[in-house]
């Protein structure tokens, strides 16, 4: 479904994650008595496959509830998948155990959206950054101080501040602390979940530039999750678009923007406000994003799609190659 | 600087709103002047702490202690709103001047049905309207902002709406009394891209059809680029640059505006480094002497230690800078 080449760093194969809201006692009794109450299941990620080449930046884009964060968390090892497989450097993470799994988990680090909630307010910066490398033997207690100073310098923080607490820093600096914490264990792969969404515009630019510098210096691979298409376009080599738990399109960045294939991608790109786009006449996509508890049948996008046919309402479109290195999940491609 | 009409709907002159806190006096808004013409959409742009929201709250008289409007004038159709008795202000607010907040739950009462809240808004300003008429007007307003099945939705509670729908209800309430001016404070920041597009569409349609003026407060330059007629850029409680949208975005003159535009990923920025404004925004409690931007400005020198005044180096453009970029060819950051 997605291409697998020798320099593929991470592959996701038919990955799914369901969240189940279990019935409480009253619900179970009602069910026994013949009520049609059922457990509520959200298919947050529904059969997703993709491959991330070494050294690339893959942008993962979608609106609220499309499962982009859930997918990122599964890749970072924070959530366990319900089904499917994640392969890191040719070895299945989901089937690993013990030391092997711990080592792989260390190579994949995550950077979170909220620089306020993701740092322990009671820990000093030196401990926030230094705890993991000490535990995993990247440094010793005696060398921790200089080790942390080096990491702080790398992300543009003044090592003088290493004994301070997170609340003494601004939002942009806190995000740098979060990045330093991830880098402290020498990862090869970073999952950035809306890592710049909470920052002011001028600070966003600083952090975006930092990500690009780190990529050059440390040869990192990124999965960059964001709802902001202009940011994703700026830094990604390849873009993955998700809608309600499924991937609708994967494409190299330039080709995606030049010629979006899936109707949802087209709508999304059309709605992105751009500096170059003045005094526009807005023509919005109709309809709401459906609830993931009860997604539409067939192609999830069909109720909002201007090109939908009967087939779209009944049959789930497969993600298939429409051109070299481009994939799209839309029935319209079959007719052309 | 109005666009479509010579007599502006709103004129703000040298507005000053200060917060008298224990830690010191924060000059959140310090000498802001602009005007908004009939049917004009003005983008009020700035980063956190630039004073853009406080400017909006000051206009509509919603600044709470320890904040206070300490100087300047807010002229609505020529009438000064600063120092207006509470009762007269209340008659204007929600009637002639309405506000849309970032969080629609600032507008909506979670324990009342939407129809109750909408009818109340109408009757509060005109008790002579019958309840039937008020309901009919509420239904029309919901329909106008694109809410399907408005009759049913009138009987819903706010929690039964999605985020985008709730924002539409808040906008519908703002529209109820056909105000002359709407102040919209980051109304689409919390919404998804496709939903944001729908709200922008409604806002634009409204201003074009009814001649309502709008102040759109946001940090997102790209949204303003597509929507607004004119723009005011704020920094450290002051307006640093103002003018027509195309003029300012195509040829920014203030180093901060230039830096801000350079730091937004654009259509052709891919693979290049973004311009980054060094440092961070100063605390309002501790603004530097003179120009607030000097510590981050590549052009700063001794002249910047004296507070620059708004000048008009180009026709129709207000700039608060000692060293504006008047040569269009200069690089950002030069």
């Amino acid at each position: 479904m997605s291409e697998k080449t020798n320099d593929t760093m991470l592959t996701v194969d038919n990955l799914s994650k369901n969240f189940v809201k279990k019935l409480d006692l009253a619900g179970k009794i009602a069910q026994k008595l013949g009520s049609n109450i059922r457990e509520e299941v959200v298919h947050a990620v529904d059969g997703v496959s993709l491959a991330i080449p070494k050294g690339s930046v893959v942008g993962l884009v979608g609106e609220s509830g499309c499962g982009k964060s859930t997918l990122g968390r599964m890749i970072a090892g924070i959530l366990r998948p319900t089904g499917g497989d994640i392969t890191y450097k040719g070895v299945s993470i989901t089937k690993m155990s013990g030391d092997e799994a711990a080592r792989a988990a260390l190579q994949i680090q995550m950077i979170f959206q909220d620089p306020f909630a993701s740092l322990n307010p009671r820990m000093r910066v030196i401990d926030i950054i230094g705890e993991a490398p000490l535990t995993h033997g990247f440094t010793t207690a005696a060398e921790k101080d200089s080790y942390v100073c080096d990491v702080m310098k790398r992300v543009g923080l003044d090592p003088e501040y290493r004994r301070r607490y997170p609340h003494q820093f601004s939002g942009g600096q806190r995000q740098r602390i979060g990045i330093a914490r991830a880098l402290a264990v020498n990862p090869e792969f970073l999952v950035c979940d809306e890592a710049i969404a909470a920052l002011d515009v001028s600070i966003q630019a600083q952090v975006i530039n930092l990500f690009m510098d780190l990529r050059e210096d440390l040869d990192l691979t990124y999965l960059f999750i964001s709802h902001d298409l202009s940011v994703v376009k700026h830094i990604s080599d390849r873009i993955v678009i998700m809608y309600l738990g499924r991937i609708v399109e994967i494409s190299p960045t330039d080709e995606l923007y030049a010629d979006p294939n899936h109707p949802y991608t087209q709508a999304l790109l059309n709605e992105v406000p751009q500096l170059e786009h003045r005094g526009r006449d807005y023509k919005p996509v109709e309809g709401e994003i459906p609830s993931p508890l009860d997604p539409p049948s067939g192609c999830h996008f069909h109720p909002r799609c201007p090109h939908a046919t009967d087939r779209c309402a009944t049959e789930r479109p497969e993600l298939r190659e429409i051109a070299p290195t481009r994939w799209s999940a839309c029935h319209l491609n079959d007719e052309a | 600087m109005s666009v479509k009409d010579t007599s502006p709907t709103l004129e703000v002159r040298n507005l000053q709103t200060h917060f008298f806190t224990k830690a010191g006096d924060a000059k959140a808004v310090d000498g802001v002047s602009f005007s908004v013409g009939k049917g004009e959409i003005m983008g009020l742009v700035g980063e956190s702490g630039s004073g853009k929201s406080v400017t909006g709250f000051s206009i509509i008289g919603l600044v709470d202690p320890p904040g206070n409007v300490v100087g300047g004038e807010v002229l609505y159709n020529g009438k000064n709103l600063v120092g207006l008795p509470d009762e007269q202000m209340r008659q204007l607010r929600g009637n002639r001047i309405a506000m849309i907040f970032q969080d629609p739950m600032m507008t909506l009462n979670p324990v009342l049905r939407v129809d109750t809240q909408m009818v109340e808004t109408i009757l509060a300003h005109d008790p002579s309207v019958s309840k039937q008429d008020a309901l009919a007007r509420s239904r029309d307003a919901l329909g106008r902002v694109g809410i399907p099945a408005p009759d049913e939705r009138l009987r819903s509670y706010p929690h039964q709406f999605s985020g985008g729908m709730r924002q539409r209800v808040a906008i519908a309430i703002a529209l109820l009394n056909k105000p002359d001016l709407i102040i919209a404070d980051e109304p689409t920041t919390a919404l998804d891209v496709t939903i944001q597009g729908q709200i922008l569409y409604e806002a634009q349609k409204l201003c074009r059809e009814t001649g309502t003026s709008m102040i759109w407060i946001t940090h997102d330059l790209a949204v303003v680029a597509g929507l607004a007629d004119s723009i005011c850029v704020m920094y450290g409680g002051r307006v640093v640059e103002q003018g027509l949208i195309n003029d300012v975005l195509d040829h920014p003159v203030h180093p901060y505006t230039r830096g801000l535009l350079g730091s937004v990923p654009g259509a052709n920025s891919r693979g290049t480094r973004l311009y980054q404004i060094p440092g961070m925004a100063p605390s309002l409690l501790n603004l530097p002497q003179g120009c607030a931007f000097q510590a981050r400005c590549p052009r700063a020198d001794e002249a910047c230690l004296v507070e620059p005044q708004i000048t008009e180096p180009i026709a129709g453009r207000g700039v608060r800078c000692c060293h504006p970029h008047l040569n269009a060819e200069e690089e950002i950051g030069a």
Side-chain angles (χ1 to χ4, degrees):
Chain A
M1 210 172 285
S2 298
E3 98 266 50
K4 284 175 196 164
T5 50
N6 291 333
D7 58 351
T8 299
M9 185 142 212
L10 185 125
T11 334
V12 169
D13 192 21
N14 203 19
L15 198 67
S16 298
K17 178 73 191 175
N18 299 340
F19 292 103
V20 182
K21 188 183 164 199
K22 291 248 160 48
L23 288 175
D24 57 6
L25 183 66
K28 279 181 185 156
I29 293 171
Q31 197 179 33
K32 282 254 155 53
L33 295 174
S35 151
N36 59 359
I37 293 178
R38 281 175 300 130
E39 287 184 336
E40 288 184 336
V41 181
V42 175
H43 301 274
V45 173
D46 184 11
V48 158
S49 303
L50 77 150
I52 298 177
K54 186 166 168 30
S56 68
V57 179
V58 174
L60 180 57
V61 181
E63 298 183 279
S64 327
C66 73
K68 57 187 190 299
S69 290
T70 306
L71 177 57
R73 280 164 182 265
M74 284 192 286
I75 291 175
I78 296 175
L79 286 174
R80 285 198 80 80
T82 313
D85 198 11
I86 303 171
T87 317
Y88 181 70
K89 289 183 169 171
V91 188
S92 166
I93 296 185
T94 30
K95 293 185 190 108
M96 271 184 219
S97 61
D99 282 355
E100 232 184 353
R103 228 172 299 131
L106 219 50
Q107 306 254 298
I108 307 175
Q109 287 293 318
M110 185 146 179
I111 292 159
F112 299 90
Q113 169 171 10
D114 189 342
F116 294 80
S118 58
L119 302 177
N120 186 335
R122 290 166 182 247
M123 280 170 81
R124 293 181 193 273
V125 170
I126 184 169
D127 296 319
I128 290 175
I129 300 174
E131 186 183 32
L134 189 61
T135 309
H136 293 285
F138 289 94
T139 184
T140 59
E143 286 163 14
K144 181 172 133 184
D145 198 68
S146 66
Y147 188 87
V148 170
C149 287
D150 286 346
V151 181
M152 285 179 79
K153 273 185 224 148
R154 167 143 272 156
V155 298
L157 283 168
D158 188 346
E160 288 283 299
Y161 297 154
R162 66 187 178 280
R163 308 210 65 84
R164 294 193 179 183
Y165 288 98
H167 74 266
Q168 293 169 294
F169 293 87
S170 69
Q173 287 174 318
R174 280 188 223 201
Q175 199 56 290
R176 286 174 195 264
I177 297 173
I179 297 168
R181 176 177 60 183
L183 292 179
V185 291
N186 298 333
E188 296 182 353
F189 188 94
L190 284 185
V191 178
C192 307
D193 187 4
E194 299 274 11
I196 57 159
L199 306 175
D200 264 323
V201 180
S202 69
I203 310 298
Q204 272 190 7
Q206 296 174 0
V207 176
I208 292 173
N209 286 343
L210 174 63
F211 278 133
M212 299 327 286
D213 292 344
L214 292 173
R215 178 193 185 188
E216 296 261 308
D217 297 347
L218 304 175
D219 198 19
L220 292 172
T221 307
Y222 288 93
L223 178 67
F224 199 91
I225 303 171
S226 179
H227 69 283
D228 187 335
L229 277 154
S230 37
V231 169
V232 167
K233 179 185 180 187
H234 181 79
I235 75 165
S236 307
D237 305 315
R238 179 179 308 210
I239 292 179
V240 177
I241 310 260
M242 282 185 79
Y243 188 73
L244 278 181
R246 296 175 185 169
I247 291 177
V248 297
E249 187 162 358
I250 303 178
S251 171
T253 306
D254 289 330
E255 284 150 54
L256 185 87
Y257 278 80
D259 177 27
N261 178 274
H262 197 281
Y264 178 63
T265 315
Q266 292 168 5
L268 207 57
L269 291 184
N270 206 22
E271 289 306 316
V272 180
Q274 282 184 344
L275 275 181
E276 293 79 5
H277 216 152
R278 307 287 163 70
R280 36 188 302 200
D281 289 306
Y282 290 94
K283 284 203 188 63
V285 201
E286 297 291 322
E288 293 273 294
I289 303 164
S291 160
L293 263 178
D294 185 23
S297 59
C299 171
H300 284 343
F301 189 60
H302 83 263
R304 303 175 78 189
C305 180
H307 313 291
T309 62
D310 293 343
R311 188 180 169 202
C312 301
T314 52
E315 188 186 330
R316 171 178 175 171
E318 289 295 327
L319 189 66
R320 59 175 102 244
E321 194 159 7
I322 51 163
T325 71
R326 294 196 64 179
W327 287 263
S328 174
C330 181
H331 290 313
L332 293 174
N333 292 320
D334 299 348
E335 287 154 25
Chain B
M1 220 159 294
S2 81
V3 180
K4 287 168 185 166
D5 199 323
T6 43
S7 66
T9 302
L10 183 85
E11 195 173 356
V12 175
R13 286 189 193 155
N14 199 27
L15 182 71
Q16 291 176 305
T17 305
H18 297 179
F19 287 77
F20 302 98
T21 65
K22 281 186 190 146
D25 296 352
K27 297 175 177 175
V29 177
D30 195 20
V32 166
S33 304
F34 57 79
S35 65
V36 188
K38 195 168 187 304
E40 178 182 340
I41 304 180
M42 189 194 83
L44 188 57
V45 179
E47 297 183 271
S48 317
S50 62
K52 56 189 191 305
S53 291
V54 176
T55 302
F57 284 117
S58 303
I59 293 168
I60 202 168
L62 286 178
V63 177
D64 287 327
N68 200 2
V69 180
V70 295
E73 293 176 315
V74 175
L75 300 172
Y76 161 71
N77 287 336
K79 180 181 176 186
N80 190 3
L81 302 184
V82 174
L84 205 66
D86 283 354
E87 186 46 42
Q88 288 184 42
M89 195 66 216
R90 185 156 41 227
Q91 280 168 15
L92 282 175
R93 198 188 295 135
N95 187 18
R96 307 316 323 141
I97 305 177
M99 186 142 186
I100 305 167
F101 299 91
Q102 176 172 354
D103 177 3
M105 291 314 280
M106 291 266 284
T107 305
L108 300 170
N109 184 332
V111 297
L112 292 179
R113 282 188 349 203
V114 167
D115 56 354
T116 319
Q117 303 188 42
M118 296 186 88
V119 167
E120 187 182 25
T121 309
I122 296 173
L123 296 184
H125 293 288
D126 185 1
S128 67
V129 179
S130 77
K131 196 154 179 232
Q132 265 72 34
D133 290 350
L135 263 177
R137 260 167 71 184
S138 305
R139 191 185 53 230
D140 289 347
L142 281 188
R144 213 174 332 141
V145 294
I147 291 188
D151 278 304
E152 280 168 46
R153 294 311 247 162
L154 268 179
R155 289 190 296 278
S156 306
Y157 286 90
H159 74 265
Q160 294 169 305
F161 290 87
S162 66
M165 281 292 167
R166 252 180 240 161
Q167 192 58 280
R168 281 163 200 260
V169 175
I171 293 175
I173 290 179
L175 300 182
L176 272 178
N177 293 312
K178 302 193 174 63
D180 300 320
L181 175 71
I182 294 179
I183 300 168
D185 187 5
E186 305 249 11
T188 59
T189 306
L191 302 177
D192 279 312
V193 183
T194 55
I195 309 300
Q196 166 172 279
Q198 294 169 352
I199 299 287
L200 292 173
Y201 166 76
E202 304 297 349
Q204 187 174 53
K205 192 171 74 159
L206 173 81
C207 290
R208 284 180 182 171
E209 286 173 3
T210 63
T212 301
S213 310
M214 191 173 288
I215 299 177
W216 194 274
I217 301 172
T218 182
H219 67 277
D220 191 335
L221 280 162
V223 166
V224 166
L227 182 74
D229 303 306
S230 61
I231 181 171
C232 250
V233 182
M234 287 189 71
Y235 187 81
R238 296 166 188 148
V239 173
V240 294
E241 183 158 9
Q242 58 197 147
L244 295 177
I245 187 83
N246 287 337
D247 296 353
V248 173
L249 295 185
D250 290 337
H251 181 199
V253 170
H254 195 285
Y256 175 65
T257 320
R258 292 174 68 93
L260 205 56
L261 283 167
S263 54
V264 180
N268 304 313
S269 72
R270 186 157 171 254
T272 61
R273 272 182 81 80
L274 294 170
Y275 174 69
Q276 56 186 64
I277 304 174
M280 53 184 156
S283 156
L284 287 173
L285 286 169
N286 193 17
L287 283 178
Q289 188 196 349
C291 175
F293 188 58
Q294 56 176 295
R296 306 174 74 186
C297 182
R299 297 194 144 200
D301 58 18
E302 298 84 49
C304 304
L305 291 172
V306 181
E307 165 72 40
Q309 295 305 308
I310 287 261
T311 55
E312 197 174 332
I314 313 169
R317 183 83 62 91
V319 181
R320 192 189 286 273
C321 182
C322 307
H323 307 294
H325 289 259
L326 296 176
N327 178 1
E329 306 307 317
E330 285 164 322
E331 289 275 306
I332 295 172

